[in-house]
Amino acid sequence: MKGVKIGLEIHEQLDTESKLFCSCPTDYRDAEPNKSICPVCTGQPGSKPFGLNEKALNAVIKIAIALNCKIIVGKPVQVRRKHYIYPDLPSGYQRTSESIGVEGELNNVQIHEVHLEEDPGRFFLREGLVDLNRSGTPLIEITTDPVFDSPPHAREWLEKLASILDYLNVTKKEEGTMRIDANISLNNGNKVEIKNINSFRNVEKALSFEITRQEDLIRRNQTVERETRHFDEKMILTSPSRKKETEEDYRHMPDPDIPPLLIKKELVEKIKKTLPELPQSKAARFVKLYKLSGQNAENIVSDPYAADMFENVSKFVNPILASNWFVGQLKKTLNYNNMTLRGSKITEKQLAALLKMLEKGKITERAAELALREMVLRPADPKKIIENLGLLEFGDLNTIIKEILDKNEKAVNDYKTGRKEAFEYLVGQVMKITKGSADPEEIRRLLKRRL
Ligand SMILES: [Zn+2]
C-alpha cells in the first residue's frame, strides 16, 4: 500500500519458573488473584529485588541470536526504571533493560532491538479491580523498524516470528501471552500507536481500520494526531486512549537496586550451540532431501511438531505422498475440528500405518480420508478404524473394477460401440460395491484406463 509505514513491538512472556526479580512462580493462571505475589513484585517500600533471573536473560539472548541480532557483549547493559502511573503498577515504574540485541533481521524485516522487561499486573477497568499475579513476569520485547507496507504483510511476518519462537522453546505456550503494539503512519504523517493487541488477526484488523480512519482525515484536510489508541475487538475499531507520552515523560533512570548486566562472549557462544535447526534451513533441507515442493516444505516446517512427525512418517512412506497429506487432508481435517496436530494426539505410527495402506492400494484415497477424520477425533490403529467403518471389505479399487468389467461384458461392448450411458452404468456398479466410499472421479479415471 502506498505511503503506509507500519512498525511492530512484540511482547512475549518468557518461559521461566519464577519472576524476573523474585522467586514468585510465573505459573499463576489457575491461582486466585493476588496470591502469587511478594513485597518485591508488588513494589513495597523497602523491598529489595533478587538478582536478575538468569534463565530469562539467556532466553532473550537465544531469541536475539535466532533473529540475527548483534548481541551487546562486554559492555554494561543497564536495567532502567520507566515511570508511569497506572493501577497495575504499584511501584510507579516498570523495570526494563537496555537493548540486549540490535540490528537484527528476519524475512527482510529489520529488527531494531530486543530487550528484557517485566510485565505489569492486570487492571480490570470496569470492575475497578487489580490482580498483581502477573506483575514481575519476565517479558521479551522485540521492536521492528517501520518497514511493513500493509496490514497483511505485518500479519504474515508475525506468523513467521511465532514459528521461530515456537522452535526456540523459551517462551510461554499459553494463549494470550503475546501482546503486540503496532504503530502506523501514512505519507510520513504523525505516528499513531495501537496498544495491546492480543492476536495476529486483530493486528491486521486494527491496522486496516486505522488506515481507513487516517485516509478519511487526510481527505477532509484534518490532522492525524500523534496518539495512542486502543483496539476494540468487538466493534473492530480503534479509539483514543491517551496522548502518546514522549520518552522524556517516562523519566528513564538506571535502577540503583540492579547491577548492570555484563554479557560475556563465551555465554553467547554457548547459547548459539543450543539453537535448533530453524524453519528456513529446515524447509531448504526438506526440499533437497525429500524433494518436496517449496510450498509444501514451508507449510510443514511452520510447526516444529508437524515437521518432526513428517520426518518420522517419511521413514515408512513416500515423503511426497506424506507431505501432500500433511498440508492437504490432515490440515483440512484439523482445521475443521479447530484442532492442532499436537492437540489431536494422533501418533506418527498411526499416521504412517494409514498412509502405508493407501500407498499399497489397500484402501482408496476416499477411504483414507474418512478414516483420518475419525482418527483425528479418536486416535486409534487405522486398521481397526477402517474395519469398523467398513472401508476395507471391498478391498482394492483396481480389483473391484476388474471384477465389474468381467461381469458386465455387455455394458463394456456397448460402451465400446459408442453408448456413453454404459460407462455411467459401470461407474454405478463400482459405487454400489464400495458403498459410496470411493471417489467417483477416481473410479472414472481407473475405468477409462482399463477400457
Ligand atoms: Zn514476587
Side-chain angles (χ1 to χ4, degrees), residues 4-111:
V4 173
K5 268 190 200 164
I6 297 167
L8 298 171
E9 263 178 41
I10 301 102
H11 304 86
E12 171 75 300
Q13 288 189 355
L14 297 165
D15 187 18
T16 59
E17 290 78 34
S18 53
K19 294 185 181 178
L20 195 51
F21 296 106
C22 65
S23 59
C24 295
T26 56
D27 184 19
Y28 53 77
R29 272 169 192 76
D30 298 326
E32 265 179 70
N34 298 309
K35 287 290 180 215
S36 191
I37 55 172
C38 73
V40 174
C41 56
T42 53
Q44 307 287 318
S47 65
K48 279 268 180 205
F50 302 9
L52 180 132
N53 187 327
E54 239 177 80
K55 199 172 169 188
L57 176 64
N58 291 352
V60 171
I61 296 174
K62 191 169 185 175
I63 295 168
I65 296 172
L67 298 177
N68 304 300
C69 289
K70 285 183 204 151
I71 311 294
I72 305 299
V73 167
K75 189 170 111 186
V77 172
Q78 252 154 6
V79 175
R80 304 203 288 184
R81 293 178 175 181
K82 174 181 172 180
H83 295 81
Y84 65 93
I85 304 293
Y86 204 64
D88 63 5
L89 194 71
S91 61
Y93 57 83
Q94 184 186 18
R95 289 194 178 100
T96 160
S97 83
E98 291 175 330
S99 300
I100 288 173
V102 293
E103 295 171 31
E105 185 269 335
L106 172 68
N107 274 63
N108 297 319
V109 166
Q110 283 70 44
I111 289 155

Side-chain angles (χ1 to χ4, degrees), residues 333-358:
T333 310
L334 290 168
N335 285 348
Y336 179 78
N337 290 295
N338 210 358
M339 282 168 125
T340 60
L341 185 57
R342 200 191 300 252
S344 78
K345 306 266 183 331
I346 186 168
T347 68
E348 53 202 33
K349 210 174 142 193
Q350 291 161 351
L351 201 54
L354 178 75
L355 294 180
K356 190 93 221 167
M357 288 161 88
L358 176 68

Side-chain angles (χ1 to χ4, degrees), residues 54 65 101 137 179 220 235 247 260 298 371 404 416 429 449:
E54 239 177 80
I65 296 172
T137 301
R179 298 193 302 280
R220 291 188 283 130
M235 309 289 288
E247 281 304 304
E298 219 173 282
I404 295 284
K416 284 182 178 162
Q429 290 302 301
R449 205 168 65 189

